[in-house]
Amino acid sequence: MNPRNRRLPATLVISFGVVIGAVLILLISGPRVEAFFPLPGGDSVSSLSRIQIQFNRPMDKLSVESRIQIDPDTKGIFYWDGQSLLFEPAQPWPPDSTVTITLRGGSSGTNRVPMIGQRQWSFNVGLPSLVYLWPAEGKSELYRVSLQPESEPQRIFESETGVLEYSATLDGSLLIYVSNRDGGGTELHALDMISRTDRLLIACEDETPCSAPAVSQDGTWLAFVQAEYSLGAAGRLLLSGTSVWLLDLETGAEPVQMSPADHSARNPGWSPTGWLMYFDDNLKAIALVDPGDGIPFNYIPSSLGILGSWSPDGTRLIYPELIFPDAPSADQTLLDADSPLYYSHLFMVDINSGRTLDVSPGGDWMVEDASPSFSPDGGWVAFTRKFLDPERWSPGRQVWLMSSDQAELIPLTAEPNALFSSLAWSPDSQQLAIMKKNLSDLGAPSEIWMVDIISGETSLIVEGGYLPEWLP
């Protein structure tokens, strides 16, 4: 056979070269998925977690969004951060379920080159878990325990110097904590609960320690308190003042002092609408601040300096306030010669109108109402109460429920020798975590209990734990 007859036709060789070249072009200039979040196969993912797909190049947004399929079908919004697509679910993912995301082939970059093949990954949504510090005595660490039956507490991470305080974002994906610093002072750290990466945010010297971290619900801002100490007699450090500072967690820029330089301020917090709040000791008022400009736009008078709790829509703030009675009224029960000089009620302020009302159940009863906490669904306010009249007086405070319209009042605990505090609602508003201290045995460790709102049943979660919070 003539060897020339075994040669491929020139047109076929050229066509084959064109195909190979096109494939190479697609491989080199085509878009690729570089990372998925939550991580594929991730377990115990927060029910409020966002979906993120990170590409290697700028993408044609519509071509990507139209090819996303989420199972179970979930409503939400898409938005972009550079070359990353994010999906914010309108409702929490179903607890204890599997979410599967499929990106069909054909999505194109801004260069119009399409992506080859389909991408798919899944993650498992966990049950809400309770986070707390343990033990109350000695070096404390952060622990979490799931609501899964027979689940055991797990240490979130190990800290060499212990954890002093912490704050978490609404979706539980970011946790800010304060630890002691070797050689004195404190450190502020950010712990990514999904990737488990820990980064140092601020190192505060012994003369200017940082405390009271308060991260905004979306994880954009971190407010904290910085104290200033000066050297006093016999070489002792004396507190000269405290101030509230703000750190932009997205840019990592230097912290900015938000409270006036000549004022003492403390207790930072955030509203659901993204307003920073703190207590100004000089003005005896709660300041509301837009973090974008740092200028207070409203002040709420307060004697106690306790920020209270926001309604989920951010329109109402409930907080405890002192009352100094001028004289007893006809229907008021007093303690005769031992009558207290003041008591505390719960007040509700409407942020839009500025109207403030005393909403403590019982009218002008002499009680100590404290620790109000709105349920996430907005239907209830949990609070603690101590009666001051002789017939009902007790050493400790009990936990009560009040409907947000003040129409219903339900006692949850009845242990006169127990002091209850640190009320924390579960994300579904069905459980209430509470901290309990036995006043008849002050040497006994604090305890964290769980109250089922529907059944009223209580259960012990941990002995020696304190400062409970929920991660969804």
Side-chain angles (χ1 to χ4, degrees):
M1 181 179 293
N2 191 334
R4 294 179 181 178
N5 295 335
R6 295 199 297 270
R7 294 179 179 175
L8 295 174
T11 55
L12 183 59
V13 172
I14 293 173
S15 299
F16 184 74
V18 169
V19 172
I20 293 297
V23 172
L24 289 175
I25 290 174
L26 287 174
L27 292 176
I28 295 173
S29 60
R32 300 188 309 275
V33 173
E34 292 192 325
F36 297 108
F37 299 97
L39 297 175
D43 201 14
S44 297
V45 173
S46 167
S47 62
L48 299 177
S49 287
R50 298 172 296 179
I51 290 173
Q52 181 176 352
I53 306 176
Q54 183 177 323
F55 295 92
N56 67 326
R57 63 180 62 254
M59 299 295 293
D60 178 86
K61 298 177 181 179
L62 183 59
S63 73
V64 178
E65 295 173 16
S66 63
R67 288 172 172 81
I68 292 286
Q69 179 180 338
I70 300 173
D71 184 26
D73 188 24
T74 305
K75 294 182 179 180
I77 58 172
F78 289 108
Y79 61 97
W80 289 79
D81 181 10
Q83 296 174 186
S84 294
L85 170 67
L86 294 97
F87 175 78
E88 187 87 41
Q91 299 293 331
W93 305 110
D96 198 23
S97 65
T98 299
V99 177
T100 301
I101 302 95
T102 303
L103 174 60
R104 301 191 306 272
S107 300
S108 61
T110 53
N111 59 1
R112 302 303 179 187
V113 177
M115 186 175 72
I116 301 175
Q118 176 176 285
R119 302 291 186 273
Q120 186 178 80
W121 88 100
S122 301
F123 59 88
N124 299 314
V125 181
L127 291 170
S129 59
L130 194 67
V131 178
Y132 57 91
L133 288 171
W134 184 92
E137 302 294 335
K139 188 185 77 168
S140 299
E141 302 277 12
L142 273 167
Y143 284 78
R144 71 186 299 175
V145 60
S146 172
L147 291 187
Q148 188 76 31
E150 300 182 359
S151 62
E152 294 293 329
Q154 296 180 340
R155 185 168 57 186
I156 296 178
F157 71 102
E158 184 174 1
S159 170
E160 294 182 359
T161 59
V163 177
L164 303 176
E165 303 170 274
Y166 69 96
S167 174
T169 54
L170 183 63
D171 65 2
S173 62
L174 182 66
L175 192 148
I176 307 295
Y177 68 92
V178 182
S179 64
N180 285 313
R181 185 174 178 229
D182 289 335
T186 58
E187 293 180 345
L188 289 172
H189 287 254
L191 176 65
D192 189 307
M193 296 296 288
I194 298 176
S195 65
R196 297 292 175 160
T197 56
D198 188 314
R199 60 190 175 102
L200 173 64
L201 296 175
I202 304 171
C204 303
E205 301 293 338
D206 195 26
E207 294 80 8
T208 55
C210 300
S211 63
V215 62
S216 61
Q217 293 188 357
D218 61 1
T220 302
W221 303 96
L222 172 65
F224 62 94
V225 170
Q226 188 166 43
E228 291 188 16
Y229 286 85
S230 57
L231 199 61
R236 298 179 61 184
L237 289 177
L238 302 176
L239 180 64
S240 57
T242 57
S243 53
V244 173
W245 293 70
L246 190 65
L247 174 66
D248 189 330
L249 292 173
E250 292 189 335
T251 65
E254 288 295 316
V256 177
Q257 183 172 342
M258 300 299 287
S259 57
D262 56 346
H263 287 199
S264 183
R266 52 190 168 90
N267 293 352
W270 295 92
S271 77
T273 54
W275 297 330
L276 170 66
M277 57 191 302
Y278 62 83
F279 182 69
D280 189 309
D281 280 296
N282 293 62
L283 300 178
K284 298 299 178 186
I286 300 170
L288 298 181
V289 184
D290 183 337
D293 57 33
I295 302 175
F297 62 86
N298 198 357
Y299 288 100
I300 302 171
S302 171
S303 301
L304 287 172
I306 300 174
L307 300 188
S309 176
W310 287 93
S311 61
D313 60 4
T315 62
R316 292 171 295 164
L317 177 68
I318 186 169
Y319 62 99
E321 178 65 312
L322 293 178
I323 294 178
F324 299 88
D326 295 328
S329 59
D331 59 346
Q332 194 173 57
T333 302
L334 297 178
L335 292 178
D336 300 323
D338 296 326
S339 176
L341 298 177
Y342 58 86
Y343 50 100
S344 62
H345 276 190
L346 302 179
F347 283 76
M348 187 94 73
V349 56
D350 185 295
I351 298 301
N352 295 322
S353 67
R355 186 184 183 193
T356 303
L357 295 174
D358 183 338
V359 295
S360 272
D364 56 0
W365 285 353
M366 279 195 156
V367 294
E368 288 181 359
D369 285 348
S371 306
S373 179
F374 262 106
S375 62
D377 63 8
W380 296 94
V381 174
F383 66 99
T384 61
R385 163 168 284 187
K386 177 179 179 177
F387 287 99
L388 300 181
D389 58 275
E391 292 79 13
R392 293 175 293 183
W393 182 90
S394 65
R397 298 178 187 271
Q398 304 305 304
V399 182
W400 292 70
L401 277 185
M402 175 180 65
S403 59
S404 58
D405 60 1
Q406 298 94 55
E408 295 183 66
L409 181 65
I410 303 171
L412 288 184
T413 63
E415 300 181 49
N417 291 320
L419 174 64
F420 292 97
S421 61
S422 299
L423 313 184
W425 285 95
S426 62
D428 61 3
S429 301
Q430 300 299 307
Q431 308 277 343
L432 186 67
I434 55 180
M435 193 171 77
K436 173 184 173 181
K437 182 66 177 177
N438 187 353
L439 296 180
S440 60
D441 183 6
L442 297 179
S446 59
E447 300 172 341
I448 296 177
W449 285 74
M450 193 78 71
V451 182
D452 186 284
I453 300 302
I454 303 299
S455 67
E457 295 181 356
T458 61
S459 56
L460 176 63
I461 302 301
V462 63
E463 291 185 2
Y466 63 105
L467 295 183
E469 292 290 347
W470 287 88
L471 293 185

